[in-house]
Amino acid sequence: MKALVFEGPGVTSWQEVPDPGIKNGADAVVRVDAVTICGTDLHIIKGDVPEVTPGRILGHEAVGTVVETGGDVRSVRPGDRVLISCISACGRCRFCRESRYGQCRGGGGWVLGHTIDGTQAEYVRVPFADLSVHPLPSAVSSQDAVLLADVFPTSYEVGVLNANVRPGDTVVVVGAGPIGLAAIATASLYSPGRIIAVDLAASRLTAARDLGADATASAREEPERLVEDLTDGLGADVAIEAVGVPETFEMCTRMVRPGGRVANIGVHGKPATLHLEDLWIKDVTITTGLVDTSSPPMLLRMMAAGRLPGASMVTHRFDLDRMEEAYDVFSRAADTGALKVVLGGRQHGTVAVPPQER
């Protein structure tokens, strides 16, 4: 098969690799029908995630069709159309029993495109399939469903839920890329009093307004003053960081009111300063987190009911073999206007699956 292979910082290639096979009884092999690129993939290519070693197939978000399952899999079977979660869950360890799948200690967590081969390929082996793939309703297209593999669960769980967004809150979302936009869309479900979006790109601020932001501010034009003006000098109840650089994290801590909540979603490759000389007296709660993907079943129902945006966040579509072009467009979002890019794989009849290893 063909796959996108990480060869070291700054270097990837779309190349021939061996087909995946069943390694454990809980595995499923899935033909990739739709896949997308995450900002985390860009961090990997930059060298910000040293656990990803050369030779790794990238990607952790996809929709596909099951072609083979291990003997222990019960929830899906060959021919089923499924959402592949960005997080795998063993279901047995302490954290999985608490539905904190992102912290799985039984061989799961964020493994796809990280410590095992990922989804930016024609086929992928998914471990712990019973808890790590979700059958898709026919009402949800592959183009829409792929957004529920990572971007929506991450924004909802690590942003909106961690920040405890409540009716009437003033919510500031710093970063109006895909994660920030999904945070705006899911925060809107809780009837906040006002959502303010901050970004450098005018096109992303327009998208933020389309998805429910009540006010927008360029990061170049004193967004902290806008927040102060709109809250009578109090500050935001919630500040959600959706970029992953020190400046935006520190901006969030300055924007939040006493007693407010800062939810960090962004993947940080450099240290950020925590200004405790200012924050120690403000009763501010700061949360971090890796998504657990406990929410996709609920989010799937909401998307099927038309309560979540899907296609409106997808700005570019490519055939699967145009992976390198898609990365170029996504990595230059300021120039291309890219939000989410979705790639669709060509259809296959069968896959050669090696004998199961016992």
Side-chain angles (χ1 to χ4, degrees):
M1 70 172 185
K2 288 286 192 75
L4 188 80
V5 179
F6 174 70
E7 297 182 343
V11 184
T12 61
S13 65
W14 179 251
Q15 61 179 261
E16 291 278 353
V17 297
D19 289 337
I22 300 293
K23 292 186 176 181
N24 298 291
D27 291 348
V29 173
V30 179
R31 182 190 70 210
V32 173
D33 298 329
V35 66
T36 187
I37 301 170
C38 179
T40 303
D41 297 321
L42 300 183
H43 281 279
I44 291 171
I45 293 171
K46 286 171 59 180
D48 290 343
V49 188
E51 299 85 1
V52 181
T53 55
R56 177 69 62 228
I57 296 172
L58 297 182
H60 51 268
E61 308 166 80
V63 168
T65 303
V66 177
V67 296
E68 183 82 5
T69 58
D72 298 335
V73 176
R74 296 290 180 269
S75 63
V76 295
R77 59 185 180 182
D80 286 350
R81 182 168 157 267
V82 296
L83 168 69
I84 300 172
S85 174
C86 66
I87 299 295
S88 302
C90 79
R92 297 184 299 272
C93 71
R94 168 183 173 172
F95 292 109
C96 284
R97 289 177 180 272
E98 296 173 355
S99 296
R100 298 183 65 187
Y101 307 130
Q103 303 302 320
C104 175
R105 292 297 184 267
W110 174 34
V111 294
L112 290 170
H114 184 205
T115 57
I116 68 172
D117 286 336
T119 60
Q120 289 170 5
E122 294 179 311
Y123 296 94
V124 60
R125 177 182 71 89
V126 182
F128 309 116
D130 279 333
L131 286 174
S132 306
V133 301
H134 304 278
L136 285 176
S138 58
V140 179
S141 72
S142 296
Q143 301 275 331
D144 290 344
V146 74
L147 302 181
L148 301 180
D150 183 355
V151 61
F152 270 106
T154 294
S155 299
Y156 177 63
E157 296 174 19
V158 185
V160 175
L161 292 186
N162 275 4
N164 191 23
V165 174
R166 296 181 291 227
D169 278 350
T170 292
V171 178
V172 177
V173 178
V174 178
I179 288 289
L181 294 175
I184 290 167
T186 50
S188 297
L189 301 173
Y190 288 82
S191 300
R194 182 187 294 110
I195 298 176
I196 305 166
V198 178
D199 201 279
L200 288 168
S203 61
R204 293 192 166 192
L205 294 177
T206 297
R209 287 191 291 271
D210 291 342
L211 287 173
D214 301 287
T216 59
S218 169
R220 298 185 181 91
E221 298 176 355
E222 299 185 315
E224 295 164 59
R225 178 169 296 180
L226 173 65
V227 172
E228 184 175 337
D229 290 344
L230 292 176
T231 59
D232 296 325
L234 188 63
D237 301 287
V238 169
I240 295 176
E241 199 284 334
V243 181
V245 297
E247 294 80 5
T248 52
F249 173 77
E250 293 169 28
M251 180 188 295
C252 285
T253 63
R254 294 193 297 270
M255 287 179 169
V256 72
R257 67 166 172 80
R261 290 91 67 195
V262 175
N264 182 88
I265 307 177
V267 177
H268 288 263
K270 296 180 181 179
T273 300
L274 183 62
H275 289 281
L276 286 177
E277 73 278 11
D278 299 321
L279 295 172
W280 74 270
I281 202 170
K282 291 182 65 176
D283 297 341
V284 171
T285 299
I286 299 174
T287 61
T288 65
L290 175 66
V291 64
D292 293 312
T293 62
S294 57
S295 63
M298 179 273 290
L299 295 172
L300 270 171
R301 293 193 298 272
M302 298 202 69
M303 184 165 277
R307 297 298 181 92
L308 288 179
S312 63
M313 288 182 59
V314 178
T315 54
H316 295 75
R317 294 176 173 82
F318 299 88
D319 292 334
L320 191 62
D321 59 7
R322 295 170 64 194
M323 184 70 70
E324 291 170 307
E325 181 183 352
Y327 259 92
D328 177 64
V329 168
F330 185 67
S331 66
R332 296 186 299 108
D335 299 323
T336 64
L339 295 175
K340 288 301 280 184
V341 303
V342 173
L343 300 97
R346 69 179 187 270
Q347 298 300 306
H348 299 266
T350 58
V351 59
V353 179
Q356 293 188 23
E357 299 176 6
R358 297 295 187 186

